[in-house]
Amino acid sequence: MTDPEDLSGFLDLAWRRLDRRPGAGRDPLLMTLATVAPDGWPEARMVVLRGADRAAGRLEIHTDTATAKVTALQADPRAELVFWDAGADLQIRAALRVSILPQAAGRWAQIPESSRMAYGTRPAPGSPIPSAFAYDKTPDPARFAALIGQVEAFDLVHLGPRHRRARFLAADGWRGQWLAP
Ligand SMILES: Cc1cc2nc3c(=O)[nH]c(=O)nc-3n(C[C@H](O)[C@H](O)[C@H](O)COP(=O)(O)O)c2cc1C
């Protein structure tokens, strides 16, 4: 059992839990991504975490460039990812500044054929259609984008026998600060 007062160990735990990319036999890491719509309204939706790079402080998501989240991020790159990790009794909130990497050179080749269908729906995702299935899913590499989230802050909540909460900021070198949960 690690020291519950160890702030840096708490941050280590979060990165360890995030660094479980989808792969053979592994469940995808599902999270909620919140963005700010151009009219200022908050928007949230489920996404799969595709990569976590602690050294670079980055989290990666894949999406279709024609979705509302891309429009939102073009206008305002600030976003938040939130994730409940039941296996660790841990809520992870990551405040991000997101760069949109269109066509994400090199990544398309690694996307399984079955997953490519997610990039290229016609008409564009969110368009009104006359009936439930009046759309086509044609994989289109030009519609694929990687969203690279530079983590600016983490807010971690651990629901152990006694709850713990801490904030970590990139700006102060991830020193960390305990917070009342
Ligand atoms: C379990 C689950 C996982 C999803 N993963 C992704 C994903 O990784 N990337 C993505 O763009 N959309 C994903 N979606 C679809 C989004 O939740 C959303 O419906 C879609 O991207 C359109 O969102 P937007 O109009 O807010 O941009 C997922 C949906 C579910 C239910």
Side-chain angles (χ1 to χ4, degrees):
M1 167 87 180
T2 52
D3 175 5
E5 295 280 357
D6 176 14
L7 262 175
S8 69
F10 199 23
L11 184 60
D12 291 345
L13 171 67
W15 276 112
R16 245 189 352 264
R17 301 300 296 184
L18 289 169
D19 192 15
R20 293 180 299 155
R21 275 152 285 195
R26 274 175 294 177
D27 288 335
L29 227 47
L30 296 176
M31 331 203 138
T32 300
L33 173 72
T35 50
V36 184
D39 65 1
W41 202 274
E43 296 177 327
R45 77 288 282 163
M46 300 306 298
V47 291
V48 176
L49 185 70
R50 304 289 175 176
D53 180 343
R54 181 174 187 170
R58 287 182 185 156
L59 300 175
E60 179 169 333
I61 295 155
H62 293 169
T63 196
D64 181 333
T65 53
T67 57
K69 70 182 82 51
V70 172
T71 307
L73 289 165
Q74 281 166 340
D76 186 339
R78 293 174 302 168
E80 180 156 286
L81 270 175
V82 61
F83 169 51
W84 167 242
D85 185 340
D89 298 322
L90 185 66
Q91 174 178 261
I92 300 175
R93 293 165 71 185
L96 308 170
R97 202 164 281 275
V98 179
S99 311
I100 302 160
L101 217 60
Q103 305 192 23
R107 287 172 171 81
W108 181 257
Q110 290 157 28
I111 305 216
E113 202 60 47
S114 55
S115 303
R116 290 183 178 178
M117 304 291 272
Y119 315 102
T121 304
R122 282 171 217 282
S127 305
I129 47 177
S131 58
F133 302 111
Y135 63 87
D136 286 317
K137 280 190 176 277
T138 316
D140 180 356
R143 289 268 299 274
F144 171 73
L147 304 179
I148 309 295
Q150 192 70 44
V151 184
E152 298 211 347
F154 278 119
D155 181 320
L156 308 181
V157 175
H158 179 237
L159 300 189
R162 295 178 69 193
H163 297 178
R164 296 182 299 156
R165 179 177 179 188
R167 177 177 51 222
F168 298 87
L169 304 175
D172 71 7
W174 306 109
R175 207 154 31 91
Q177 169 67 55
W178 292 114
L179 303 176

